[in-house]
Amino acid sequence: MRIAVLHFSHETVTFLANDTTLADFTYPGSPAKGDDVLAMQPRDYIGGFVQVAREYPDVELVGIESPGFPVTGTGSGWVSEAAFETFVGRMIAELTSGGPWDGAYLAVHGAMAVRGVARPEAELARRVRAAVGPKAIIAGTFDPHGNEDEQFLTHADMAFTVKYFPHYDGHLQGQRAARQMVRAIRGTYTPATVTVKVPIISPTVLQWTGAAPWSELIQRALTWEAREPDAYVNVFFGFPWSDVPDVGMCIQAMTNGDPALAQRIADDMAGFAWRRRAALLGSTTVHHIKAGVALARAAQAAGEVPIVLADHSDRSGYATWLLAEIMAQDLANTLLATVADQALVARLLVEGAKAGDAFDELVGGLVDESAGPAVRVVGKIHSVSAGASRSGGQSWVNVSFGRGNVLCISPYLVQVIELDHLRQFGFDPADFACFAIKSRVHFRRGFDDNGFARTILLVEPPEAFLGTTRLDGLAYENVDLTGFYPYGEVRFP
Ligand SMILES: [Zn+2]
């Protein structure tokens, strides 16, 4: 059995001004080729797929040249047509010349948005199908933030989506994809899939699966998988910051040759989500930034530390609202990681900035209205540190200010998820009472689900900026919000 392994993944915020370009996908290690593709994600989707596929002595895996996640992380807009066509063109050429294939595994995200391509993952599957032929089995793994409809599965045979947010089960879904793909190639599994769109659109900060009713929605999917052998259930929460026609929640169910059962499962899941729609959107408290910082001060005074103060809404990384309010309220002992300012970091590095230097600069802001104004910070350089991001290394310039605070300035948006991420950049978490970060839910992996933080405060500016819970403030062109709960009078099913 010869199986091709491909990766092409981005979570695109189409409302950001900076396109995601070919150059953003090109850095040491990306694109990867051959066995380097198979080694791209040892603890995630591809790692799980490769681990299980290699348990079968008759399986040969071939890594097809693939880009990693762009250097901008999730802080960039529309993927350029040139980036998409370049990488997909090379993939198809390699598949065409390297065949025949029994299977192709596509490690994708689902919320990539490409200029001129309405459904990029489905388009990738369509072209891969044309290259590998009608008999080969095509399987995809997805992030639950994917915006998907039935199109992907018209070209591909199977899809496996992470269930948890934070995304704990990428490796597991990769394993499942490998096992079912091998069975399908051998003819002992015949995928019957059903896709049902659920007209619910929600900001990602509300989609934490650690609490009800999101946990109940996922538990229901797990129950179906447990009670029906060979059934698989995908719950796409959707990603509202992509202005794409297949935005919003989506359920997929797959069975072994039983389309009626797949339909019953998908309808049940969709019906459950719809009945609980009000609770799904009301499960998380989000404070305005001013109130959130005041609550953080009160929590410090009460000894309810460590505190996470998360501006979930910052989609560019440059937002200064939280920094400005921390200064205004003189919050103490806070590590603010990070405010992005690529030009400032570059200049400070060229100037040879070092610990102890005086610092008086305008920081961040300005990339769009959601980022706010640049903020003047006066203090001392605490350190210049380097660590790994999701797509290679980056350097931070860290500035001491106020009463025991440190501001980390990074070249790109950084979503701090684990305490180890801070340690990599030279910080001891024990030195701080409060962690002011830019994350919605993923931080719970390292700050909440492990029992670290005593107080968790999610904040956003009061204006209906990009990234806030106010989706009605977005200038959608490809989405009619009134077709979705809670923005219209929607009948479902
Ligand atoms: Zn996600």
Side-chain angles (χ1 to χ4, degrees):
M1 275 180 250
R2 297 189 72 238
I3 298 173
V5 176
L6 299 78
H7 174 268
F8 201 1
S9 160
H10 190 225
E11 184 180 82
T12 308
V13 180
T14 61
F15 299 98
L16 289 171
N18 53 319
D19 277 14
T20 310
T21 65
L22 191 53
D24 293 328
F25 283 103
T26 308
Y27 52 87
S30 174
K33 296 181 182 187
D35 286 351
D36 290 342
V37 176
L38 307 182
M40 270 171 96
Q41 303 171 329
R43 289 178 55 83
D44 215 332
Y45 304 95
I46 295 176
F49 186 89
V50 169
Q51 181 191 67
V52 164
R54 284 189 168 153
E55 288 177 3
Y56 300 91
D58 54 337
V59 167
E60 179 198 355
L61 296 179
V62 180
I64 303 297
E65 182 180 332
S66 298
F69 217 75
V71 70
T72 49
T74 56
S76 57
W78 288 104
V79 174
S80 70
E81 203 175 348
F84 184 76
E85 293 299 337
T86 299
F87 291 120
V88 174
R90 287 188 209 162
M91 287 169 175
I92 299 307
E94 195 174 340
L95 287 173
T96 303
S97 64
W101 304 100
D102 298 294
Y105 164 53
L106 317 182
V108 295
H109 181 290
M112 182 155 71
V114 181
R115 289 200 182 278
V117 181
R119 293 168 177 81
E121 293 82 12
E123 177 62 14
L124 176 63
R126 188 185 69 79
R127 296 194 204 177
V128 168
R129 171 62 71 201
V132 300
K135 283 200 190 127
I137 299 299
I138 301 177
T141 51
F142 285 84
D143 186 288
H145 292 115
N147 291 315
E148 290 298 316
D149 58 14
E150 77 297 337
Q151 283 293 310
F152 180 83
L153 286 170
T154 63
H155 305 294
D157 300 284
M158 36 178 76
F160 298 86
T161 301
V162 151
K163 287 194 169 56
Y164 300 90
F165 186 18
H167 303 335
Y168 293 117
D169 54 327
H171 193 266
L172 174 65
Q173 300 307 332
Q175 291 181 319
R176 287 155 46 119
R179 203 172 302 285
Q180 300 318 313
M181 178 185 273
V182 168
R183 288 182 65 200
I185 292 169
R186 287 177 174 164
T188 62
Y189 193 96
T190 307
T193 60
V194 170
T195 302
V196 176
K197 285 296 279 185
V198 187
I200 296 173
I201 193 165
S202 59
T204 49
V205 66
L206 306 184
Q207 300 169 348
W208 179 38
T209 57
W214 293 91
S215 56
E216 296 167 342
L217 182 63
I218 291 313
Q219 183 57 43
R220 200 169 184 92
L222 292 168
T223 301
W224 274 117
E225 290 183 349
R227 64 187 278 174
E228 295 291 346
D230 289 343
Y232 295 88
V233 184
N234 297 332
V235 183
F236 288 94
F237 313 145
F239 188 69
W241 291 286
S242 271
D243 182 12
V244 294
D246 49 356
V247 77
M249 188 181 275
C250 180
I251 306 289
Q252 292 171 341
M254 179 172 78
T255 61
N256 189 0
D258 189 342
L261 176 59
Q263 186 73 56
R264 203 160 80 235
I265 295 171
D267 287 343
D268 172 75
M269 289 295 304
F272 180 83
W274 185 249
R275 290 195 299 279
R276 302 301 306 276
R277 61 192 180 280
L280 286 167
L281 271 81
S283 57
T284 300
T285 302
V286 179
H287 306 280
H288 287 165
I289 284 177
K290 192 170 189 159
V293 173
L295 287 168
R297 277 194 66 120
Q300 274 202 33
E304 294 294 325
V305 294
I307 301 160
V308 172
L309 187 57
D311 177 1
H312 78 91
S313 72
D314 184 3
R315 286 286 167 180
S316 67
Y318 283 69
T320 54
W321 306 108
L322 187 52
L323 168 63
E325 195 57 36
I326 285 169
M327 293 169 77
Q329 295 193 33
D330 193 27
L331 188 65
N333 303 318
T334 296
L335 179 64
L336 203 171
T338 70
V339 173
D341 191 328
Q342 192 175 11
L344 178 59
V345 169
R347 176 165 64 74
L348 290 168
L349 292 177
V350 166
E351 291 172 0
K354 59 183 188 309
D357 289 356
F359 184 93
D360 184 352
E361 301 278 357
L362 288 169
V363 177
L366 302 178
V367 293
D368 65 19
E369 63 169 11
S370 75
V375 168
R376 184 178 172 198
V377 178
V378 179
K380 272 195 165 58
I381 294 194
H382 169 277
S383 52
V384 177
S385 54
S389 74
R390 190 171 181 178
S391 26
Q394 56 174 276
S395 294
W396 293 0
V397 177
N398 311 306
V399 178
S400 305
F401 73 99
R403 297 184 294 136
N405 301 323
V406 175
L407 164 67
C408 306
I409 310 169
S410 62
Y412 302 107
L413 167 69
V414 174
Q415 185 172 179
V416 175
I417 294 171
E418 301 264 19
L419 292 166
D420 272 346
H421 197 168
L422 298 172
R423 293 190 185 102
Q424 264 187 45
F425 282 87
F427 295 103
D428 180 352
D431 292 342
F432 300 93
C434 179
F435 299 85
I437 57 175
K438 310 288 182 66
S439 180
R440 293 151 279 283
V441 171
H442 280 305
F443 74 87
R444 293 187 190 267
R445 180 189 289 256
F447 291 84
D448 188 3
D449 289 345
N450 60 354
F452 176 76
R454 297 269 296 273
T455 301
I456 289 171
L457 299 163
L458 290 154
V459 297
E460 67 178 19
E463 296 85 353
F465 290 141
L466 164 64
T468 67
T469 51
R470 299 275 304 280
L471 302 183
D472 52 336
L474 295 171
Y476 287 106
E477 291 177 7
N478 302 304
V479 176
D480 176 7
L481 266 193
T482 64
F484 294 86
Y485 180 82
Y487 296 99
E489 294 291 322
V490 187
R491 289 182 63 84
F492 181 80

